[in-house]
C-alpha cells in the first residue's frame, strides 16, 4: 500500500483527521484542491469561527493539536439566548446557560477563527513524518476491492490504501462516486459571517439573538487591535442576506448594530464578509466498500449550538477508536459497519433537532414569536431539563 489512509479534504475536519490518525501511528495522505488560507486578511480567508465543545479537548490533545490551539482559544463560559421578537428589535427576554452548572472548572468550549485553525493544523501536519498533506490535487475517482482502495487524483496519480475517509464537503465527490444518496432540507436562508469589535466586553459569553429570519450569534474572540471582538454569524432569508452583503460598510454596521439589539454598543466591522446558503443534510449511509464519510460529507446542519464541527469530531473519534482497536482490520467491511451503526442514529437525531430549532428561529408572525419566547423561559426555568439539554448539546450521555 502507498498509505494506510487517504483523506479527501483539507478543511478543518480533514486536517484534524490527518493529525489524529497520524498520531495513532497510521500513514496518512491528505489531499485538497486548494491550499489552506492561513491569514485573516488574505483573499478567501474563512471568516467563520469554530467553537470546540468540552469533549473535543481530549481528542485534539491526543492529535497533538491542542497545545498549538490553546494560546489562541477564547473560552465560552456562558451561552446566552436572547429573544428580540417584540415590536422593536430590542431584547425583551434573556436567559443564560452556565457551564458551571455542569462542571465547575471547564467552560462549555473554546472558540477560534477558522483561518487560524487551518494555519495551526497545517503546521502540525508538517511536523509529522507519517503524514503527507498535498494541496492542488483532489480525489476524483474511487475503485475498491475487498482488501484495498485505489484513488485517482486530479494530477493523474493513483494511490493505493486500506481506508479512504471522505471529508470533502457537502457536495462530496467520493460520496457521489460511491452512489450514496442524501436527505436534504433547504431553508431559503443564507448566513453572513464576519468579525466585529465592540465597546462592551463579551465576558466570554456567546450570545444568540432571535427575531426573524434566523439567529444573530456573537461568539467571543480574543481582542482585536485592543478592542473586544466577536465572530458573528447572521442568518437571514436569502434575498435579505444578499442585500445586507451588498451594503457599504457604514450601512452594514448600522444594520448589524440594530440586529444585535444594541447589546454590545455600536458594532464595527473588523473583517471581510462571507456568505453561504443554509441547508440541513445527512447521508443515508455512512460507508461503502473501503470508504467512510465524515463531517459535511456525512452531515450538514445550520450553525446553531456549535454542533456541526463537534459532530464531525465525534465521527472521527468513533472511527479512530475502531481503527486503534483492530489496526489489522483497518477499512474492513466489519469495521465500517460498526462505524455506521455507532454514528447514524445520533446524526439523524441531531440533524432533525437542529432543523426544527432553525425553523423556530425563522418565525415571523408576532404570536409565534411570543410563543417562542415563552418556550425559552419555560425551558430555562426547569433546572433538570436545562441541565439535560446542555449535556445533550455537549454530546454527553448524562
Amino acid at each position: 500500500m502507498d498509505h494506510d489512509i487517504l483523506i479527501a479534504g483539507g478543511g478543518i475536519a480533514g486536517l484534524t483527521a490527518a493529525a489524529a490518525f497520524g498520531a495513532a501511528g497510521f500513514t496518512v495522505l491528505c489531499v485538497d484542491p486548494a491550499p489552506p488560507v492561513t491569514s485573516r486578511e488574505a483573499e478567501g480567508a474563512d471568516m467563520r469561527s469554530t467553537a470546540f465543545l468540552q469533549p473535543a479537548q481530549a481528542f485534539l490533545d491526543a492529535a497533538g493539536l491542542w497545545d498549538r490551539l490553546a494560546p489562541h482559544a477564547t473560552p465560552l463560559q456562558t451561552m446566552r439566548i436572547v429573544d428580540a421578537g417584540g415590536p422593536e428589535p430590542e431584547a425583551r427576554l434573556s436567559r443564560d446557560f452556565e457551564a458551571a452548572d455542569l462542571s465547575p472548572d471547564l467552560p462549555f468550549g473554546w472558540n477560534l477563527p477558522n483561518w487560524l485553525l487551518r494555519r495551526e493544523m497545517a503546521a502540525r501536519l508538517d511536523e509529522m513524518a507519517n503524514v503527507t498533506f498535498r494541496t492542488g490535487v483532489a480525489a476524483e475517482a474511487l475503485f475498491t476491492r475487498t482488501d484495498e482502495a485505489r484513488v485517482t487524483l486530479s494530477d493523474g496519480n493513483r494511490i493505493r490504501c486500506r481506508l479512504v475517509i471522505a471529508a470533502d464537503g457537502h457536495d462530496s465527490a467520493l460520496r457521489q462516486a460511491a452512489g450514496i444518496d442524501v436527505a436534504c432540507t433547504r431553508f431559503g436562508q443564507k448566513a453572513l459571517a464576519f468579525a466585529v469589535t465592540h465597546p462592551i466586553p463579551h465576558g466570554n459569553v456567546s450570545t444568540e439573538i432571535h427575531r426573524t429570519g434566523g439567529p444573530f450569534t456573537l461568539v467571543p474572540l480574543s481582542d482585536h487591535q485592543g478592542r473586544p471582538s466577536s465572530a458573528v454569524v447572521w442568518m437571514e432569508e436569502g434575498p435579505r442576506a444578499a442585500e445586507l452583503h451588498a451594503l457599504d460598510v457604514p450601512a452594514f454596521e448600522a444594520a448589524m448594530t440594530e440586529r444585535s439589539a444594541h447589546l454590545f454598543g455600536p458594532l464595527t466591522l473588523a473583517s471581510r464578509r462571507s456568505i453561504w446558503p443554509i441547508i440541513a443534510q445527512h447521508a443515508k449511509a455512512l460507508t461503502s466498500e473501503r470508504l467512510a464519510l465524515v463531517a459535511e460529507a456525512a452531515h450538514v446542519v445550520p450553525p446553531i449550538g456549535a454542533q456541526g464541527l463537534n459532530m464531525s469530531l465525534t465521527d472521527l473519534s468513533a472511527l479512530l477508536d475502531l481503527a486503534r482497536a483492530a489496526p489489522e482490520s483497518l477499512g474492513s467491511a466489519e469495521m465500517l459497519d460498526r462505524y455506521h451503526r455507532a454514528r447514524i442514529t445520533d446524526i439523524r437525531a441531531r440533524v432533525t433537532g437542529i432543523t426544527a430549532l432553525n425553523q423556530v428561529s425563522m418565525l415571523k408572525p408576532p404570536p409565534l414569536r411570543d410563543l417562542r419566547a415563552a418556550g425559552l423561559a419555560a425551558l430555562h426555568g426547569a433546572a433538570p431539563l436545562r441541565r439535560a439539554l446542555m449535556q445533550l448539546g455537549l454530546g454527553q450521555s448524562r
Side-chain angles (χ1 to χ4, degrees), residues 56-79:
Q57 184 184 24
F59 185 81
L60 296 171
D61 192 38
L65 291 169
W66 185 245
D67 284 347
R68 284 186 164 275
L69 301 179
H72 310 285
T74 304
L76 306 177
Q77 197 64 42
T78 302
M79 301 292 189

Side-chain angles (χ1 to χ4, degrees), residues 69-137:
L69 301 179
H72 310 285
T74 304
L76 306 177
Q77 197 64 42
T78 302
M79 301 292 189
R80 177 170 295 154
I81 300 180
V82 176
D83 187 90
E88 300 299 326
E90 56 190 35
R92 61 174 178 171
L93 178 71
S94 178
R95 293 293 184 268
D96 288 354
F97 295 80
E98 301 285 354
D101 286 351
L102 299 181
S103 56
D105 301 322
L106 287 174
F108 283 117
W110 300 265
N111 196 49
L112 296 103
N114 284 6
W115 63 265
L116 186 144
L117 286 170
R118 292 171 186 262
R119 183 188 75 191
E120 296 301 319
M121 290 177 171
R124 167 60 177 157
L125 299 190
D126 284 344
E127 301 172 345
M128 305 179 75
N130 58 330
V131 177
T132 302
F133 179 35
R134 290 191 58 200
T135 59
V137 291

Side-chain angles (χ1 to χ4, degrees), residues 28 60 75 79-80 105 117 120 150-151 167 187 196 217 223 242 249 259 289 321-322 324 337-338 354 360 371 397:
V28 179
L60 296 171
M79 301 292 189
R80 177 170 295 154
D105 301 322
L117 286 170
E120 296 301 319
R150 298 181 184 181
V151 181
F187 301 95
V196 297
T217 305
D223 287 358
V249 170
R259 184 60 181 81
E289 189 174 61
D321 285 348
L322 292 167
R324 284 191 295 212
D337 285 346
R338 292 179 67 186
I354 296 167
V360 169
L371 185 62
S397 57

Side-chain angles (χ1 to χ4, degrees), residues 1 38 138 176 249 278:
M1 299 292 170
T38 57
Q176 294 175 42
V249 170
I278 298 299

Side-chain angles (χ1 to χ4, degrees), residues 31-380:
V31 298
D32 193 89
V37 180
T38 57
S39 170
R40 177 188 179 112
E41 306 303 330
E43 185 67 26
D46 187 347
M47 298 314 301
R48 295 171 296 176
S49 68
T50 294
F52 291 106
L53 300 178
Q54 277 182 22
Q57 184 184 24
F59 185 81
L60 296 171
D61 192 38
L65 291 169
W66 185 245
D67 284 347
R68 284 186 164 275
L69 301 179
H72 310 285
T74 304
L76 306 177
Q77 197 64 42
T78 302
M79 301 292 189
R80 177 170 295 154
I81 300 180
V82 176
D83 187 90
E88 300 299 326
E90 56 190 35
R92 61 174 178 171
L93 178 71
S94 178
R95 293 293 184 268
D96 288 354
F97 295 80
E98 301 285 354
D101 286 351
L102 299 181
S103 56
D105 301 322
L106 287 174
F108 283 117
W110 300 265
N111 196 49
L112 296 103
N114 284 6
W115 63 265
L116 186 144
L117 286 170
R118 292 171 186 262
R119 183 188 75 191
E120 296 301 319
M121 290 177 171
R124 167 60 177 157
L125 299 190
D126 284 344
E127 301 172 345
M128 305 179 75
N130 58 330
V131 177
T132 302
F133 179 35
R134 290 191 58 200
T135 59
V137 291
E140 287 196 334
L142 175 66
F143 173 77
T144 62
R145 294 179 174 175
T146 56
D147 59 346
E148 70 173 25
R150 298 181 184 181
V151 181
T152 302
L153 303 182
S154 56
D155 63 0
N157 282 314
R158 294 180 180 176
I159 305 299
R160 297 172 63 230
C161 60
R162 293 196 287 158
L163 173 65
V164 178
I165 298 177
D168 52 344
H170 69 278
D171 285 328
S172 170
L174 289 182
R175 186 190 65 227
Q176 294 175 42
I180 299 174
D181 291 332
V182 297
C184 184
T185 300
R186 302 187 181 277
F187 301 95
Q189 281 174 304
K190 292 186 178 180
L192 295 158
F194 49 93
V196 297
T197 58
H198 38 80
I200 300 173
H202 51 61
N204 294 338
V205 177
S206 177
T207 303
E208 190 173 282
I209 305 165
H210 293 263
R211 185 166 172 80
T212 64
F216 182 99
T217 305
L218 299 101
V219 189
L221 293 173
S222 300
D223 287 358
H224 178 61
Q225 297 180 347
R227 301 190 71 205
S229 181
S230 296
V232 176
V233 176
W234 184 357
M235 294 164 62
E236 282 284 0
E237 292 182 347
R240 174 58 176 158
E243 291 173 4
L244 291 165
H245 189 250
L247 292 177
D248 62 26
V249 170
F252 185 75
E253 289 180 337
M256 67 180 176
T257 297
E258 179 180 280
R259 184 60 181 81
S260 72
H262 302 273
L263 293 178
F264 295 89
L267 303 183
T268 301
L269 189 64
S271 74
R272 296 181 309 100
R273 289 167 271 180
S274 60
I275 186 170
W276 77 97
I278 298 299
I279 64 171
Q281 177 175 287
H282 67 85
K284 296 185 178 180
L286 300 181
T287 63
S288 184
E289 189 174 61
R290 293 282 157 182
L291 174 70
L293 307 183
V294 302
E296 289 199 347
H299 46 75
V300 184
V301 292
I304 294 175
Q307 292 298 298
L309 196 276
N310 289 278
M311 289 171 64
S312 304
L313 295 187
T314 306
D315 299 341
L316 297 180
S317 180
L319 194 60
L320 182 58
D321 285 348
L322 292 167
R324 284 191 295 212
E328 71 282 357
S329 299
L330 181 71
S332 67
E334 180 184 4
M335 174 192 164
L336 293 174
D337 285 346
R338 292 179 67 186
Y339 169 65
H340 173 88
R341 291 196 302 269
R343 291 295 299 132
I344 192 66
T345 300
D346 179 68
I347 286 171
R348 287 173 178 166
R350 288 182 186 271
V351 172
T352 299
I354 296 167
T355 295
L357 286 174
N358 188 44
Q359 289 168 334
V360 169
S361 77
M362 297 174 67
L363 295 175
K364 282 185 176 181
L368 294 180
R369 283 157 41 176
D370 293 344
L371 185 62
R372 180 182 63 199
L376 170 60
L379 183 155
H380 186 274

